[in-house]
Amino acid sequence: GTSALWGASATDVYAAGATMQHFDGQAWSAVATGATSAFTGIFGRGSTIAVGTWLTIRRARHARPDG
């Protein structure tokens, strides 16, 4: 299930939980993280940071509306 949601805009939303998903305004897609444990939180500012159990931390650049 989903533990947390974060979005920079309506076309750049992330969902974190057992897996990470990204919504581009049209559809959800899986985000490859390499994590072996679930994510419990997600936030961002310039980058998206997902935090999980067992000190799992993943960072991804997110799309910017201005390119």
Side-chain angles (χ1 to χ4, degrees), residues 22-65:
H22 178 256
F23 184 70
D24 64 6
Q26 300 291 318
W28 288 95
S29 60
V31 176
T33 65
T36 58
S37 60
F39 294 104
T40 56
I42 191 167
F43 61 94
R45 185 171 190 176
S47 295
T48 300
I49 308 293
V51 180
T53 56
W54 299 103
L55 299 177
T56 302
I57 301 173
R58 294 292 184 259
R59 178 180 180 205
R61 297 286 298 170
H62 58 80
R64 294 185 55 175

Side-chain angles (χ1 to χ4, degrees), residues 8-22:
S9 69
T11 60
D12 191 23
V13 180
Y14 287 86
T19 63
M20 188 179 299
Q21 302 283 318
H22 178 256

